[in-house]
Every structure is written in C-alpha cells, then in structure tokens.
Amino acid sequence: MRRTPAYSPAVDSAVTRVEVQTQPDGALLVRWEIEGPPVDVDVATGESADHLDHRHEMQVAAGRTSVQLAGLGPGRTFVSVAPRGSGPAVVAADRRIPFEGISNFRDLGGYHTRSGSTVRWGLVFRADALHGLSPADLALYDRLGLRAVYDLRGDVERDERPNPVPSRPLTVVGRPAGTPPPVGPPTGQSVADGENVLRDLYVGLIDHAAAQIGELFTNLGDQGGLPAVFHCHAGKDRTGIVAALLLETLGVDRETVLDDYELTARYRLRTHQEGTYQRLLDLGMSAEAAAGVLTAPRWAMHEALDHLDDRYGGVDRYLTGRAAMSAPALARLRRVLVEGRRDASASTLATGP
C-alpha cells in the first residue's frame, strides 16, 4: 500500500517508514524508507515517542537507508528519522518490550492507517502471560505507566500462574457461554490439522467472545483507560484475535494486521513453548498436530477475518452489533489511539479493506 507522507515545503523528499529491531548484542538496527530523491537524514533517540525530546545521534548520507546504533542501556529506546535540516520526523521503536522473563510483550503503536494517520505509540500493548516478569522486569514495567491489565485467560490458568501486577479478568473463549470444553484432543495427525485447530478457534472467538471484546474496546477508549495491555498465555491466539480486531478498528490495512499476527513467530520461539507442547501431547494430540498448534499461520487469521467480513459485514458492524459497543464509544477509541486522524476518517475506516 502506498502511503501519503506529510511533506514539508522545504524538501522534496520525506521519510515514510522507520523500523527498529534490537540485535542479539543489544544494538539497534534502524531501517527507513524515503519517498522522493535520496537525501541526508538525521537520526535521533529518546525515551519517549515525542521526537522533540530526542537527542541527535548522527547524520546519515543520502542513499543509505539503514544504520546500526550501539546499545543505549536498559529500557526502551525510540528512534526518530527526518530529512536533514527540515521535514517531518518519523518515530519508531522495537515493538517488543525488552523484558527478561516474558518474550512476546509488544507495542501496537506506529502502524499506519488507510486514512494516512498513525496508531499512537506506547498506549496499547499485547502480551503473553505476565507471571514470568522478573524483579528487574517490574522496574521496566513500571516505566510503561500502565493503568490497566486485561487478563484474557480462564480461571484455572490465572490460579495456576497468577500475574504479579493488578489485573482485570476478562475471559474470552471460542465456544458458546456455558458450553463445557471439549473432551479429548482434536482429531488429526498433521501440522495442517493443528493449524486448522487455530483457524476454528479464531472463528469461534469472533463468534462467541464478542461481548468481552466490546467491553475491552469500550474500556480502552474511556478516560483514564490507557496505557493498557491485554494478554493470554502465549500472546498469540486469544490475544492475536483481539489485537487483529483492534488494528482493523483503527483502520490498519489487512496485510499489516496479518504481519503483526505473524510477529509472534519471531519473539516466541519453540524453546518458550515446551510446556504447552507437552500438555498437548499429554492430551493425546500427535506430535505433528501439536507442533501446528504452536505456529502462527497467516492463512488461519486471514480466514478468521474473512469470516468477520462475510458474517458480520466488517469490524464496525460487528462491534456495534454483536459486540454491543456504542457508536460514541467506538469513536472515542479511535480518537484516543490514532494521531493525525482527519474528521473524515471515520467513514474511511468503516469501509473495510
């Protein structure tokens, strides 16, 4: 998708995208895209998403579109890139918050919307279970300033692995209310069979967890509702559906929504999932099917979102219909989470991809 940058009259080029990825040695790999002729750029860093508070690090010659910055110490670093001398800066950070004890705590900010706006950094996060936060992690956690933690897990999961921080239980399940969980493992022996389990789960969550999703989105938009994080066990499936619907709501294009879903495969490795894998085997699932359940198959999320469109007519009708979210609450959610949002964007967001 071609994005329309906010041009400065003083330059013919603009930075349109910045990506930051932490390397194994702690260094930051910064990549950017330029629309227009190659130009020198200024790279700066800071502890917040406000580029006006950033410290200049270096000037990079025209033609280069990446640089590596030495590790800047513990905590989170935001990077801004702007055409040399003038022109708007674009800010980004590594989506993953660098905790020691959990691997999949990610910022949903920075994504571009179809209306030319951007999801605000540092306000809403998706995560795996927080019980693994170390004492050192808790200091970094405090710096995020979170006002709400939404625990999407069930009661048994919460009792077995309680969060070390105050949390709001908001259980989401992929079956009708009051229906007991299935007895025994799903049938099937292959990796594809395991991936099909995920697809069915995602569709079931859309159909049967609508009330909880509407409640969560309403709370996020309320005054004092942010910053916030929602999480399940792995931060992939229940959390993945909620994150996908939130990004769709904010007007992020479908392919980017799917990209965000697949990021779990980068951060939550097989070594983080041995306990889950063994539990699936203990339930009688084949090794191949269990391995499939641990993946993040793009097609499964894609089909679930297609189901959202086909059955409910898109995310707006789903939220204000089955999820019982009011239109004013939906407007507030977009207003607080999207920066640079034009008045006309509401109708744009409502059209779907």
Side-chain angles (χ1 to χ4, degrees):
M1 174 180 175
R2 185 180 180 84
R3 301 186 181 95
T4 302
Y7 283 98
S8 165
V11 296
D12 295 323
S13 301
V15 177
T16 57
R17 179 181 178 184
V18 177
E19 180 184 85
V20 179
Q21 186 174 348
T22 304
Q23 303 302 291
D25 62 357
L28 299 179
L29 176 61
V30 185
R31 302 185 183 95
W32 59 91
E33 296 176 3
I34 296 286
E35 187 162 299
V39 292
D40 293 357
V41 300
D42 287 317
V43 178
T45 62
E47 295 182 356
S48 76
D50 186 352
H51 73 278
L52 297 177
D53 294 332
H54 287 190
R55 179 184 67 253
H56 186 266
E57 296 288 348
M58 63 179 64
Q59 178 181 343
V60 182
R64 290 185 60 187
T65 56
S66 68
V67 70
Q68 188 160 292
L69 302 176
L72 301 176
R76 194 175 192 205
T77 300
F78 286 87
V79 179
S80 55
V81 182
R84 178 67 175 170
S86 63
V90 175
V91 177
D94 194 328
R95 295 199 169 279
R96 179 183 178 272
I97 310 303
F99 291 121
E100 297 174 344
I102 57 177
S103 62
N104 199 20
F105 195 116
R106 310 199 319 252
D107 196 330
L108 286 173
Y111 286 125
H112 295 279
T113 72
R114 292 186 297 274
S115 66
S117 307
T118 306
V119 180
R120 298 182 192 275
W121 284 102
L123 289 184
V124 63
F125 302 84
R126 54 175 295 173
D128 45 350
L130 306 185
H131 67 273
L133 288 170
S134 69
D137 287 338
L138 290 173
L140 175 55
Y141 175 92
D142 287 342
R143 289 201 290 273
L144 297 177
L146 294 171
R147 294 182 176 180
V149 176
Y150 296 93
D151 190 337
L152 309 181
R153 300 175 299 169
D155 291 340
V156 172
E157 294 172 284
R158 285 192 287 266
D159 290 342
E160 290 179 347
R161 296 177 175 84
N163 285 342
V165 294
S167 306
R168 303 182 188 182
L170 191 65
T171 301
V172 297
V173 295
R175 58 183 183 275
T179 303
V183 177
T187 58
Q189 298 295 317
S190 68
V191 170
D193 291 327
E195 292 182 353
N196 277 318
V197 169
L198 296 178
R199 184 266 179 196
D200 293 345
L201 170 62
Y202 300 163
V203 169
L205 287 165
I206 288 172
D207 287 345
H208 303 300
Q212 290 76 23
I213 292 169
E215 178 183 346
L216 171 58
F217 287 9
T218 297
N219 291 345
L220 292 177
D222 285 345
Q223 185 174 4
L226 297 170
V229 59
F230 52 86
H231 77 90
C232 56
H233 171 67
K236 175 173 74 76
D237 302 320
R238 291 165 289 186
T239 295
I241 275 291
V242 173
L245 295 184
L246 180 60
L247 293 176
E248 290 262 328
T249 301
L250 300 179
V252 177
D253 71 88
R254 178 66 53 85
E255 293 305 309
T256 302
V257 172
L258 297 173
D259 290 343
D260 180 80
Y261 165 71
E262 286 189 305
L263 277 180
T264 287
R266 176 191 296 179
Y267 299 121
R268 189 167 174 82
L269 307 177
R270 178 61 181 271
T271 54
H272 300 129
Q273 304 182 79
E274 286 305 319
T276 301
Y277 179 69
Q278 187 59 52
R279 284 193 294 274
L280 294 173
L281 296 183
D282 292 344
L283 288 171
M285 185 175 286
S286 72
E288 292 78 8
V293 170
L294 299 183
T295 63
R298 189 182 186 94
W299 74 266
M301 182 61 73
H302 200 308
E303 287 198 4
L305 295 177
D306 284 347
H307 170 78
L308 175 82
D309 293 337
D310 294 342
R311 181 167 183 176
Y312 300 103
V315 71
D316 282 51
R317 291 182 179 177
Y318 171 79
L319 290 175
T320 57
R322 189 169 184 85
M325 189 177 183
S326 71
L330 181 55
R332 283 196 305 271
L333 178 69
R334 287 173 171 148
R335 187 165 59 249
V336 298
L337 282 178
V338 179
E339 61 185 350
R341 184 170 172 270
R342 297 189 295 269
D343 292 340
S345 63
S347 60
T348 302
L349 297 181
T351 60

